[in-house]
Amino acid sequence: MKPEQSLFTTVVALLLALLPACGFHLRGDVELPPALQETYLESRNPYTGIARALRVELEAAGGRILESDEHAAAVLHIVREVSENRILSVGSTGKASEYELFNEVVFSLSDAEGKVLIKPQTLRMTRDLVFDETELLGKISEAESIHRQMRRNMARQIIIRIGAGLRQQ
């Protein structure tokens, strides 16, 4: 091995070794707060939207979603959920050429006795989508996929916020 290659390899290895020291790490499963180990998820639509994304994230982190609040350690309330597409720009033909994909969720957390652990909080997320009506089916599918990704990111953020809020108490 040439001296330049050896030096380069050493520098890269050193930088990779120092990377975790600055707090960087690959995003894996979220750390589940103890209060969410056995959770009842209260939502108008418990098997769709953000509730579905929360189910997936909580179960992936090792939690159990209970079918009633009777034995739950905590009740995660989805107070409100909004998912919509808003027109951002219109082309020369008068048809939408760009959309803003918007998701919003309001959530709170209480214990089994109804004591509020986390007051209602709002999360909002937007993404832009350039729309081409000649690719209608593909763009509709892309918009649905982006909404799913946004809900999954929001579910992660909800769990992280709950963990941070419970640690501060």
Side-chain angles (χ1 to χ4, degrees):
M1 186 182 297
K2 296 182 182 178
E4 300 88 26
Q5 288 176 325
S6 177
L7 178 62
F8 178 76
T9 304
T10 303
V11 170
V12 168
L14 181 62
L15 289 174
L16 288 173
L18 291 175
L19 206 51
C22 73
F24 175 82
H25 61 280
L26 292 174
R27 185 170 82 176
D29 290 335
V30 293
E31 184 178 329
L32 194 62
L36 295 180
Q37 291 295 326
E38 292 187 333
T39 307
Y40 174 66
L41 188 56
E42 183 181 89
S43 173
R44 288 187 187 125
N45 303 310
Y47 299 101
T48 61
I50 192 68
R52 181 178 180 167
L54 276 164
R55 281 179 182 280
V56 169
E57 291 299 319
L58 288 167
E59 289 172 352
R64 283 185 38 214
I65 305 298
L66 303 178
E67 294 302 318
S68 76
D69 60 353
E70 188 177 333
H71 299 291
V75 178
L76 180 52
H77 307 272
I78 304 303
V79 179
R80 182 173 46 120
E81 178 179 8
V82 177
S83 182
E84 60 189 22
N85 300 338
R86 301 172 178 167
I87 297 174
L88 281 182
S89 62
V90 178
S92 60
T93 61
K95 296 187 178 183
S97 60
E98 188 175 15
Y99 284 92
E100 176 185 66
L101 309 181
F102 175 80
N103 280 5
E104 178 181 85
V105 64
V106 179
F107 70 94
S108 66
L109 185 74
S110 61
D111 65 11
E113 288 78 41
K115 177 186 170 204
V116 175
L117 300 174
I118 302 289
K119 293 180 181 177
Q121 293 188 20
T122 303
L123 279 174
R124 291 181 187 93
M125 192 172 285
T126 61
R127 298 286 186 269
D128 292 347
L129 174 68
V130 177
F131 193 78
D132 183 356
E133 65 182 46
T134 62
E135 300 173 4
L136 184 62
L137 292 177
K139 288 299 179 176
I140 290 172
S141 176
E142 182 179 356
E144 290 171 358
S145 175
I146 292 170
H147 275 295
R148 274 192 307 275
Q149 290 171 358
M150 290 168 61
R151 284 189 293 269
R152 185 160 185 191
N153 286 337
M154 292 174 83
R156 286 174 162 271
Q157 288 181 27
I158 288 170
I159 295 169
I160 290 167
R161 280 190 181 193
I162 288 172
L166 293 176
R167 280 192 295 275
Q168 291 177 354
Q169 294 180 353

